[in-house]
Amino acid sequence: MSEKAILSGNEAVARGAWEAGATFGSGYPGTPSSEILPALTALGDCYTEWAPNEKCALESAAGASLAGARCLVTMKHVGLNVAADPFFTLSYVGVNGGLVLLDADDPAMHSSQNEQDNRHFARAAKVPVLEPSDSQEAKDFTRLAFEISEQFDTPVMVRTLTRVAHSEGLVELGERTVPTRECGPVRDARKYVMIPAYARARRVFMQERTAKLTAFAEETEINRIEPGSPDIGIITSSVAYQYAREAAPEASFLKLGMTWPLPPGKIRQFAGSVKKLYVVEELDPYLRDQVLALGLAVEELPESLQIGELSPERVAAGLRGGDVAPASNDLPPRPPVLCAGCPHRGVFITLRKLKAFVTGDIGCYTLGTLAPLSALDTCLCMGAGIGEAHGIEMACGEKGKTVAVIGDSTFVHSGITGLVNIAYNGGSSVVVILDNGTTAMTGGQEHPGTGVTLSGRPGRLLDIPGICRAAGIPNVVTVDPRNLEQVESTLKQALESPEAWVIVARCPCILKARPDAFPRVIDEDKCIRCQVCVRIGCPAISTEATDDPRKPQPRIDPVLCTGCNLCAQVCPVSAIGEMEGGACEV
Amino acid sequence: MTTNILLSGVGGQGIITASRVLAEAAMLSGFHVKKSEIHGMSQRGGSVESHVRFSPDGLVFSPTIPFGEVDVLMGFELLEALRAIPNTKPDALVLVEDRVIVPSSVTCGPFEYPADVLDQLYASGRNVRVVDAFKIACSLGEPRAANIVLLGAASSSLVIDAQAWEGAIRRAVKAKALDVNLKAFEAGVAAGRSG
């Protein structure tokens, strides 16, 4: 019997690439895809790296593929927006060594700024898509994707969803087989140089390729009919298949593992074998529209099923023509918050105090927008905060002087070009780089600004203040965000200045380097219950009711407190001090 | 028959690790198993759920538990246990840690933390048992091992082999934390029996 392991969908994708003999992996962390490259690195025998952004990752993989390597590139759905430029033309160029792009979509936006169905992207770029429905298929399909890639001279997208990426299941492990292909760049301008004359020829090739891929889709076992009752037939893919199997075990299924191009013959055959035909899929009616275009009659499902994640009960309700109302109760919600001891909190407290207009960005510091910090006014996409600050200022002049906040990893990803734009065009925005020395939100990945590579080797450390100076920003200073006085005086100076500023607020992520400090404790005799410490939004500080409903007694949870001392700095009566001993003494 | 276990609590309490141990132990006992974690964008402080499903006969399809089908609820925090109660079967076993972590919507918002969470849990009609996992973990000198104490308390209600639990803990925790976690599990087993 072969060895089995419990793997997440992400670990299984890494295993599939490893078994397929991939020797190059690149990507940028983005939930829910972030764990794939670390897992591939841990398996060994494959060179892996974090790229500054998804475009860089895909372009490097294009080169590695040209040289003959099998390559895996990983990103989340919005990452493909960044990599869209090389993606569309790479479909023309094709591959030498197999190239698989793992795209992870996030229905219900567990940690994303939009809900985006990237099957449309693949279809528009004419790149085949495989959709695994669990961990076993995540491994098998990734492996198969490399074969399809080389057989049909095309990049292949493997599309997962949050529930596939982050759920775990049993996987049968296989051996690694490395294709014997010599490594070295291949000179073939007609294939690799997409000037219009050569691209036109490749466009014809792509049409022929699509026809061949369609024939493959008709015969591949990953598009399979599972016969059941002829009364109800369900066409489905990805995790929606699992929900539908649970919701309607008696039904007949056409389970599509490859969702572009589709197999029209198989779809027609299946539709002809059932009385009522449904299409169950997560996010957009992507499959449904193509089935309708074949002239087949499809039962309508409520449009509300196109929003958010599905579940067995939502699919069951959908087949009955309804949807399940989201659970509601009057319990207090528990929204996400900046961690206790998060160094970004010091910057947000000060920005709120100064009433600055703040253009935000993508990272855990986006949480600075929630009460009680309420110190972030925009969030669009990676790197956009710097561009927005510049635009506001250029449109409104002095009245538009704005503070952009951006994390260190995001700054490298796509903030640098925005900063160059400010310097070049004579803007005077204030950019605060919240430098906690990691890519915190996705789980703490390394990046050029940490000076450590994905495999843990020392890399060239990006000098963040240096690159800002080199871009032409006249004022670049570094502050400690836990020192509120320093943060405030620097921000004030920058906001009053007619020049552009970069303030690097540098302090390690609390999850990366927990300081050796005792928890804080409130001296309740001195405390005037003014609630100022409560309004820094630290999850370690809660309140207990007193006789006066407006003045509950603040308390600090000694287990959650990291001793960052921000609450002591804002306390007007010095009622907060150090607890001797530690968390278990209470 | 699929057994459905829901672990519910607050980011940072070790819910993902506990569910990992549970899923591994089920696999080592020969079951087909699926697990799914549901959490928002922050690593600490938000609601976290983990669904574990295992079956001795046949495949588990959905990685999440259908609504109302939870057999065992492990609540790592009182409010989060109460939030998860509608997901459970009427005769579900509910193991809850008597610990309050106040959400920001209460500290800085208009909401009130319900004063009678335990009463509401008992009133649900489920088989509710309180486990002092946090206090037990503190007595072992490692408050972060409360997750494994609660898992130990749940273990006596699950058809998983004793060796499988130990093997799963060995796989899931770091070497230097192994000893205290094995002790935490044993203490949890004892607490589950006496509770």
Side-chain angles (χ1 to χ4, degrees):
Chain A
M1 207 175 87
S2 62
E3 198 191 337
K4 280 189 182 180
I6 295 182
L7 300 183
S8 68
N10 282 343
E11 290 166 330
V13 166
R15 179 80 196 188
W18 182 84
E19 288 181 8
T23 52
F24 182 92
S26 186
Y28 181 82
T31 309
S33 74
S34 315
E35 297 83 8
I36 299 169
L37 283 180
L40 182 57
T41 310
L43 287 165
D45 309 322
C46 177
Y47 173 78
T48 55
E49 61 181 31
W50 287 127
N53 67 26
E54 295 82 358
K55 180 176 187 285
C56 295
L58 185 55
E59 288 160 351
S60 303
S65 162
L66 180 153
R70 283 192 162 183
C71 312
L72 178 72
V73 189
T74 73
M75 59 194 65
K76 70 184 295 182
H77 58 307
V78 284
L80 188 53
N81 301 342
V82 178
D85 205 358
F87 180 65
F88 273 71
T89 306
L90 195 59
S91 177
Y92 281 61
V93 166
V95 304
N96 182 16
L99 192 152
V100 175
L101 185 141
L102 183 288
D103 162 90
D105 291 1
D106 185 18
M109 295 171 274
H110 291 280
S111 50
S112 305
Q113 64 270 41
N114 75 10
E115 204 172 60
Q116 179 176 312
D117 192 328
N118 275 5
R119 294 177 298 181
H120 298 297
F121 245 135
R123 186 179 176 213
K126 300 173 178 61
V127 166
V129 182
L130 305 186
E131 286 196 82
S133 73
D134 62 11
S135 294
Q136 179 72 54
E137 287 188 351
K139 194 206 79 169
D140 295 343
F141 286 16
T142 304
R143 202 172 168 155
L144 175 65
F146 281 99
E147 284 160 28
I148 295 173
S149 174
E150 286 171 9
Q151 186 183 340
F152 295 94
D153 188 15
T154 177
V156 176
M157 180 195 279
V158 174
R159 180 219 189 207
T160 61
L161 298 156
T162 300
R163 207 47 51 211
V164 174
H166 280 178
S167 65
E168 301 180 17
L170 293 182
V171 176
E172 272 187 41
L173 305 180
E175 299 292 317
R176 174 172 165 95
T177 43
V178 184
T180 48
R181 195 185 296 108
E182 218 164 281
C183 196
V186 182
R187 272 217 177 89
D188 184 352
R190 289 180 178 276
K191 182 163 171 1
Y192 294 111
V193 184
M194 284 302 101
I195 55 170
Y198 296 165
R200 284 182 199 118
R202 291 298 290 180
R203 181 67 188 84
V204 175
F205 162 81
M206 284 163 71
Q207 203 75 351
E208 293 161 2
R209 181 178 76 192
T210 301
K212 287 178 188 158
L213 281 163
T214 304
F216 175 83
E218 294 283 6
E219 71 200 29
T220 177
E221 286 172 8
I222 68 171
N223 291 336
R224 65 169 188 261
I225 291 172
E226 295 176 1
S229 156
D231 294 336
I232 168 172
I234 300 176
I235 298 177
T236 183
S237 70
S238 193
V239 74
Y241 162 76
Q242 306 287 358
Y243 299 141
R245 278 298 306 257
E246 193 114 9
E250 75 288 355
S252 296
F253 285 88
L254 172 55
K255 200 273 190 195
L256 293 171
M258 183 166 176
T259 52
W260 197 86
L262 290 178
K266 214 174 244 180
I267 291 170
R268 285 206 175 90
Q269 180 200 338
F270 180 71
S273 71
V274 294
K275 285 185 194 145
K276 278 186 169 182
L277 184 66
Y278 290 88
V279 179
V280 177
E281 58 192 320
E282 205 162 74
L283 293 182
D284 295 349
Y286 165 92
L287 294 173
R288 174 182 163 273
D289 288 356
Q290 292 181 77
V291 173
L292 284 174
L294 293 173
L296 298 167
V298 176
E299 303 294 324
E300 287 297 322
L301 292 177
E303 273 191 25
S304 63
L305 290 180
Q306 292 169 22
I307 300 173
E309 276 200 291
L310 295 178
S311 62
E313 57 274 11
R314 285 190 78 194
V315 172
L319 296 173
R320 292 192 303 266
D323 194 357
V324 176
S328 71
N329 53 44
D330 48 7
L331 296 177
R334 193 181 294 275
V337 284
L338 292 178
C339 300
C342 172
H344 301 323
R345 184 172 279 107
V347 170
F348 285 127
I349 295 168
T350 312
L351 287 169
R352 180 184 61 187
K353 187 174 172 188
L354 297 176
K355 299 189 171 66
F357 189 89
V358 181
T359 52
D361 226 294
I362 308 284
C364 41
Y365 50 90
T366 315
L367 296 170
T369 194
L370 298 177
L373 292 170
S374 311
L376 212 136
D377 300 296
T378 73
C379 167
L380 182 61
C381 68
M382 300 272 284
I386 295 180
E388 287 177 317
H390 180 66
I392 292 168
E393 193 209 334
M394 289 298 137
C396 307
E398 240 175 69
K399 267 168 54 188
K401 179 125 179 171
T402 296
V403 180
V405 294
I406 187 164
D408 45 336
S409 186
T410 311
F411 177 70
V412 178
H413 177 281
S414 48
I416 291 173
T417 41
L419 196 69
V420 170
N421 191 39
I422 287 176
Y424 172 58
N425 288 303
S428 67
S429 296
V430 182
V431 175
V432 182
I433 300 176
L434 303 162
D435 182 357
N436 62 4
T438 188
T439 317
M441 187 182 176
T442 45
Q445 292 78 15
E446 306 291 349
H447 63 76
T450 71
V452 179
T453 70
L454 170 54
S455 53
R457 284 195 305 270
R460 175 76 75 172
L461 176 69
L462 178 73
D463 173 4
I464 290 179
I467 208 165
C468 297
R469 284 190 200 99
I473 303 295
N475 308 286
V476 180
V477 293
T478 301
V479 299
D480 180 348
R482 289 169 308 178
N483 182 337
L484 291 180
E485 230 174 79
Q486 193 190 21
V487 174
E488 184 172 339
S489 64
T490 312
L491 266 171
K492 270 185 179 162
Q493 201 187 346
L495 281 165
E496 285 157 11
S497 153
E499 293 182 320
W501 280 65
V502 169
I503 301 169
V504 181
R506 183 172 278 172
C507 178
C509 171
I510 192 71
L511 299 183
K512 209 178 168 188
R514 186 168 169 146
D516 194 15
F518 286 123
R520 304 293 114 167
V521 64
I522 296 173
D523 182 339
E524 292 184 10
D525 295 332
K526 279 196 203 167
C527 176
I528 54 169
R529 309 204 300 255
C530 64
Q531 314 300 315
V532 167
C533 60
V534 173
R535 283 197 293 272
I536 70 173
C538 174
I541 302 178
S542 59
T543 52
E544 206 161 276
T546 62
D547 298 340
D548 184 346
R550 286 164 308 165
K551 293 202 158 198
Q553 176 61 56
R555 290 264 159 74
I556 298 174
D557 185 322
V559 181
L560 299 177
C561 177
T562 65
C564 76
N565 213 41
L566 280 182
C567 53
Q569 289 179 66
V570 299
C571 179
V573 293
S574 305
I576 301 178
E578 225 175 59
M579 171 189 275
E580 295 293 329
C584 270
E585 301 299 310
V586 278
Chain B
M1 264 303 271
T2 301
T3 302
N4 295 317
I5 303 155
L6 179 64
L7 298 86
S8 173
V10 182
Q13 287 193 294
I15 290 154
I16 306 298
T17 306
S19 61
R20 174 109 219 174
V21 171
L22 175 54
E24 288 270 350
M27 179 191 75
L28 293 172
S29 293
F31 299 128
H32 190 261
V33 57
K34 277 191 180 172
K35 161 182 174 299
S36 191
E37 58 191 65
I38 299 176
H39 54 82
M41 63 191 286
S42 72
Q43 300 207 29
R44 296 287 185 274
S47 296
V48 174
E49 269 187 6
S50 189
H51 297 229
V52 180
R53 317 187 70 200
F54 61 86
S55 164
D57 46 4
L59 296 176
V60 176
F61 286 108
S62 169
T64 50
I65 302 166
F67 188 78
E69 293 292 316
V70 171
D71 298 291
V72 179
L73 169 64
M74 292 169 60
F76 288 73
E77 198 273 346
L78 284 174
L79 176 64
E80 295 312 310
L82 186 59
R83 203 191 304 283
I85 275 286
N87 276 299
T88 60
K89 287 181 181 167
D91 61 345
L93 171 65
V94 176
L95 291 167
V96 62
E97 185 178 325
D98 190 4
R99 175 155 161 76
V100 169
I101 300 175
V102 181
S104 62
S105 63
V106 171
T107 313
C108 313
F111 288 90
E112 272 185 42
Y113 196 102
D116 53 349
V117 176
L118 262 181
D119 293 342
Q120 288 193 53
L121 287 173
Y122 287 126
S124 71
R126 272 69 171 178
N127 177 12
V128 176
R129 290 158 71 180
V130 175
V131 180
D132 284 331
F134 183 68
K135 277 187 202 152
I136 292 169
C138 274
S139 73
L140 294 170
E142 183 46 274
R144 283 176 296 181
N147 59 341
I148 302 297
V149 176
L150 201 62
L151 197 59
S155 67
S156 49
S157 310
L158 300 169
V159 284
I160 290 176
D161 306 338
Q163 292 109 320
W165 285 112
E166 194 185 323
I169 293 171
R170 281 182 190 281
R171 284 191 197 190
V173 305
K174 286 184 186 139
K176 65 175 183 182
L178 180 62
D179 199 39
V180 73
N181 274 291
L182 288 174
K183 279 186 187 147
F185 188 79
E186 277 172 38
V189 172
R193 282 203 198 102
S194 61

